[in-house]
């Protein structure tokens, strides 16, 4: 039986629809128009003589043939991305771009001085820093270097603990200060509900059993600013607290739990000269030596 014709350029279209479930979201994912996505999918199905998706009012669901194609298409995508990383790793010279992702406050307070020094050393390398809450994929080359407070369990990622970050309780400068075990209704600023299990939240509520939540945010920068404006107490990383005007630390007799920051990068990138140079500087300036 002859092999059905298949255009390599159709694979990203197929994968985007399989992952997003609708033509609209798939089109936005890869920068195509929705009508173009529909035409290319129809052309692909006609070329191979198979129906890859069941259409419904809720979107696109893979057929059995579509599931088979998905397994092969993902392997092909992974091989193509591995090739791109290998080729990038063989580039000579410190030029080009590096994309890293981290939290907002960590990028602004901790990484910015290191990146400024790196720029002075290697002005031909452009570092793009992404500080939004999205989880970026190292395998898909959405980021070259990731800094986060949870470890990595992906087998293709090289990871290490970078730094143990101390935390403290802060309040608006000049305001009244609580003491440990205070049962009064002190207003506090904590993480958003998605991160309500963070250890500093439990610690603060135990230290101040009468505390009342006044505000929530998934941004430590936002928590620090709300604290400076008198909204309430906040548990903050010490470097952020020290860099925020208008707040001061509160001694509650013990310290909040510290958090480890991890860095990770894809193993295919370990020989890339510009990534290696940035890693060496980051580790030299920030790594906790044990």
């Amino acid at each position: 039986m002859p092999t059905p014709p298949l255009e390599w350029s159709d694979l990203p279209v197929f994968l985007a629809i399989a992952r997003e479930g609708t033509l609209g979201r798939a089109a936005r994912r890869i920068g195509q128009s929705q009508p173009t996505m529909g035409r290319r999918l129809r052309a692909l199905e006609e070329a191979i003589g198979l129906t890859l998706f069941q259409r419904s009012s809720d979107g696109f669901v893979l057929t059995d043939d579509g599931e088979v194609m998905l397994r092969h298409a993902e392997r092909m995508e992974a091989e193509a991305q591995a090739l791109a990383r290998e080729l990038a790793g063989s580039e000579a010279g410190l030029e080009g771009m590096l994309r890293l992702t981290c939290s907002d406050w960590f990028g602004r307070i901790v990484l910015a001085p290191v990146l400024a020094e790196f720029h002075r050393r290697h002005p031909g390398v452009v570092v793009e820093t992404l500080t939004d809450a999205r989880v970026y994929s190292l395998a898909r080359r959405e980021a070259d270097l990731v800094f986060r407070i949870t470890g990595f369990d992906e087998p293709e990622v090289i990871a290490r603990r970078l730094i143990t970050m101390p935390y403290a309780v802060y309040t608006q400068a000049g305001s009244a200060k609580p003491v440990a075990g205070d049962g009064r209704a002190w207003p506090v600023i904590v993480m958003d509900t998605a991160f309500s299990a963070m250890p500093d939240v439990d610690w603060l509520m135990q230290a101040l059993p009468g505390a009342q939540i006044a505000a929530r945010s998934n941004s430590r920068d936002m928590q620090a600013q709300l604290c400076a404006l008198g909204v309430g107490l906040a548990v903050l990383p010490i470097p952020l607290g020290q860099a925020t005007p208008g707040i001061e630390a509160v001694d509650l007799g013990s310290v909040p739990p510290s958090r480890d920051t991890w860095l990770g990068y894809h193993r295919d990138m370990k020989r890339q000269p510009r990534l290696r140079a940035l890693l060496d500087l980051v580790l030299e300036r920030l790594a906790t030596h044990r």
Side-chain angles (χ1 to χ4, degrees):
M1 177 181 293
T3 302
L6 181 64
E7 292 288 338
W8 293 102
S9 61
D10 288 332
L11 291 181
V13 171
F14 167 77
L15 286 170
I17 298 172
R19 288 165 176 162
E20 298 296 336
T22 70
L23 290 179
R25 290 199 299 267
R28 289 191 292 273
R29 184 184 184 115
I30 63 173
Q32 299 267 359
S33 69
Q34 184 170 334
T36 297
M37 296 289 286
R39 287 195 299 271
R40 293 187 65 179
L41 175 59
R42 288 192 297 273
L44 172 60
E45 290 180 322
E46 291 172 1
I48 63 177
L50 297 171
T51 299
L52 301 174
F53 295 94
Q54 292 288 346
R55 280 74 163 171
S56 72
S57 58
D58 294 327
F60 287 66
V61 179
L62 287 165
T63 62
D64 290 344
D65 290 326
E67 293 283 0
V68 172
M69 183 164 179
L70 178 64
R71 291 197 297 273
H72 289 279
E74 286 183 330
R75 286 199 293 269
M76 294 163 71
E77 178 190 49
E79 287 297 323
Q81 291 167 346
L83 173 61
R85 289 190 295 267
E86 288 283 353
L87 293 176
S90 67
E91 293 175 355
L94 295 183
E95 295 183 348
M97 189 179 80
L98 286 172
R99 180 181 293 114
L100 63 85
T101 177
C102 61
S103 62
D104 51 3
W105 80 266
F106 189 84
R108 183 172 65 87
I109 303 298
V110 179
L111 278 184
V114 180
L115 297 181
E117 181 178 355
F118 182 77
H119 173 73
R120 290 191 293 270
R121 293 186 183 188
H122 308 292
V125 180
V126 176
V127 179
E128 182 177 85
T129 305
L130 308 170
T131 62
D132 57 287
R134 176 185 167 193
V135 177
Y136 289 85
S137 169
L138 289 166
R140 295 178 187 168
R141 294 209 67 192
E142 293 176 339
D144 300 311
L145 186 60
V146 172
F147 298 85
R148 69 189 197 191
I149 61 174
T150 56
F152 298 81
D153 54 13
E154 300 91 335
E156 71 275 11
V157 172
I158 297 174
R160 65 159 290 169
R161 184 185 290 108
L162 175 64
I163 187 172
T164 299
M165 187 64 63
Y167 283 65
V169 181
Y170 289 87
T171 188
Q172 185 183 40
S175 64
K177 296 178 177 59
V179 296
D182 198 327
R184 286 178 290 175
W186 290 95
V188 294
I189 304 160
V190 298
M191 298 297 292
D192 67 303
T193 52
F195 294 93
S196 58
M198 294 278 277
D200 56 274
V201 177
D202 288 338
W203 179 90
L204 183 59
M205 293 306 183
Q206 290 176 18
L208 300 174
Q212 298 292 318
I213 295 175
R216 293 181 181 271
S217 176
N218 68 343
S219 166
R220 295 290 190 185
D221 260 333
M222 175 64 79
Q223 292 178 22
Q225 291 306 309
L226 291 173
C227 180
L229 293 168
V231 174
L233 301 162
V235 177
L236 302 171
I238 288 179
L240 173 59
Q242 293 175 337
T244 303
I247 65 176
E248 56 189 14
V250 176
D251 184 2
L252 292 181
S254 62
V255 296
S258 59
R259 297 301 301 267
D260 289 330
T261 296
W262 295 76
L263 66 79
Y265 57 96
H266 200 283
R267 63 186 179 189
D268 291 343
M269 300 288 283
K270 64 182 178 182
R271 292 189 301 275
Q272 187 190 76
R274 59 182 182 270
L275 179 61
R276 188 73 259 167
L278 178 56
L279 278 171
D280 288 345
L281 183 60
V282 167
L283 294 175
E284 180 182 348
R285 294 289 180 262
L286 302 180
T288 299
H289 300 288
R290 298 187 176 186

